[in-house]
Amino acid sequence: MTILDGKKVSNDIKNEIAAHVESMVAKGEKVPHLAAILVGKDGASMTYVNAKVKACEKIGFKSTLIEMPEYTSEEELLEKIHQLNTDDNIDGFIVQLPLPEQIDEQNVLMAVDPDKDVDGFHPTNVGRMALDLPTFLPATPYGIMELLERYQIETSGKNVVVMGRSHIVGRPMSILMSQKRKAGDATVTVVHSRSKDLEEITREADIIVAAIGISEFLTGDMVKEDVVIIDVGITRVPDQTKKNGYRLAGDVHFESVSKKASYITPVPGGVGPMTIAMLLKNTLLARERRA
């Protein structure tokens, strides 16, 4: 069993980007500038955004963090997005999800300029991805594809099961894995919480992408020998043996599934770091396009 080390691969990608930025500076070119909007004080969101800002600093990007209070109205947020859309100094930006309940997430995602949408969530970019045209790929599926490619895991003709149908992970993942590309060309099945005979489907899978949002849902008896496991989930599970009273767990029951898997991502340290690395890669692409 081989651990798919997302932390190591993401560091490799960041080093590659940092070298590229150094050459941009040497040529007198403008370096990429990523902005992030954070509404409210959600703990997980603050952690993610701070990690993105630190990653930018480490590789030589400029970064701007815009913090807005929990009570921010949708109109105020849309006005801020408009400002970033029209700011020539900003190459790409993200609006950290989830948003407070008074704000319609769909309206917000629609308002972002597709050419600055480095999260890859705008319908224009999702449509371009579905048609296999050049675009910003959603960062988490993009990171998974990169991980599979760098570990040289064979995907062509393989039976892939994607657990979950979210717009952020499940749906784009199923599209990318089915396309003719290096980490793709697979036969893809999408399952979710209402799928019948779920265990029969997962037992036939050569590769499983678990993004169902239920802690330790996928267990050892649901997979076959030598399966490749990509665990997208991350949840705080109460654990009194830990100093902080909890441990981090994925959508996969690591202990039982890892005994059968040929490759598996850990939680944390698997998919999470890859998401940030690919966001940076998208931002570099945005800068190059604007140049």
Side-chain angles (χ1 to χ4, degrees):
M1 186 269 292
T2 301
I3 293 287
L4 294 169
D5 191 343
K7 196 169 182 182
K8 181 197 174 297
V9 175
S10 72
N11 283 333
D12 291 344
I13 293 166
K14 287 178 198 170
N15 289 336
E16 290 162 14
I17 298 172
H20 193 95
V21 171
E22 272 185 31
S23 82
M24 292 173 83
V25 172
K27 293 174 190 170
E29 296 173 6
K30 186 184 167 198
V31 300
H33 189 162
L34 174 68
I37 301 176
L38 176 63
V39 184
K41 297 284 185 186
D42 177 76
S45 292
M46 289 171 76
T47 301
Y48 290 143
V49 169
N50 287 331
K52 289 165 187 174
V53 170
K54 281 179 185 172
C56 282
E57 291 168 359
K58 192 175 178 184
I59 62 169
F61 281 16
K62 288 184 179 176
S63 65
T64 300
L65 174 57
I66 299 154
E67 296 183 86
M68 303 180 79
E70 184 80 25
Y71 54 79
T72 298
S73 69
E74 185 175 312
E75 189 179 354
E76 288 170 324
L77 179 54
L78 291 175
E79 175 55 35
K80 182 57 69 178
I81 288 169
H82 175 69
Q83 288 172 20
L84 294 179
N85 282 341
T86 54
D87 186 343
D88 275 342
N89 290 314
I90 303 293
D91 297 304
F93 68 94
I94 61 165
V95 181
Q96 185 66 42
L97 303 179
L99 292 166
E101 58 183 17
Q102 73 272 16
I103 299 172
D104 187 316
E105 283 186 2
Q106 201 58 51
N107 288 344
V108 168
L109 297 179
M110 290 281 286
V112 176
D113 180 348
D115 291 333
K116 293 190 176 188
D117 168 40
V118 288
D119 259 335
F121 293 161
H122 192 282
T124 296
N125 289 328
V126 174
R128 290 182 68 84
M129 175 197 67
L131 295 172
D132 204 7
L133 297 171
T135 191
F136 300 118
L137 298 179
T140 299
Y142 190 11
I144 293 168
M145 302 294 283
E146 191 77 12
L147 203 53
L148 292 169
E149 194 173 315
R150 294 204 179 210
Y151 273 90
Q152 299 181 325
I153 293 170
E154 184 60 60
T155 58
S156 181
K158 297 294 184 181
N159 185 6
V160 175
V161 171
V162 177
M163 303 179 71
R165 51 185 168 178
S166 74
H167 298 306
I168 294 171
V169 182
R171 287 182 192 276
M173 196 71 233
S174 66
I175 292 167
L176 292 169
M177 288 299 297
S178 66
Q179 288 175 341
K180 282 187 177 179
R181 54 173 70 234
K182 225 173 185 179
D185 221 8
T187 302
V188 183
T189 304
V190 179
V191 297
H192 46 81
S193 57
R194 300 299 296 271
S195 297
K196 291 181 179 177
D197 304 319
L198 184 66
E199 292 183 17
E200 287 180 29
I201 297 168
T202 56
R203 281 194 205 107
E204 293 298 313
D206 300 308
I207 300 169
I208 298 176
V209 179
I212 206 161
I214 303 170
S215 175
E216 299 182 328
F217 179 84
L218 186 73
T219 52
D221 59 340
M222 296 170 69
V223 302
K224 70 178 184 180
E225 291 289 339
D226 293 329
V227 66
V228 175
I229 299 289
I230 307 291
D231 190 351
V232 182
I234 187 159
T235 315
R236 288 181 177 183
V237 177
D239 187 341
Q240 296 312 311
T241 66
K242 302 291 182 184
K243 195 175 179 182
N244 51 15
Y246 68 85
R247 63 184 170 85
L248 294 175
D251 288 356
V252 175
H253 187 268
F254 188 89
E255 191 178 342
S256 61
V257 173
S258 63
K259 288 172 182 171
K260 287 186 171 180
S262 55
Y263 293 89
I264 189 167
T265 57
V267 175
V271 173
M274 292 300 298
T275 299
I276 294 175
M278 304 326 278
L279 176 70
L280 299 174
K281 209 165 182 178
N282 276 344
T283 306
L284 178 60
L285 175 62
R287 169 87 296 267
E288 289 175 337
R289 282 185 179 176
R290 288 170 63 77

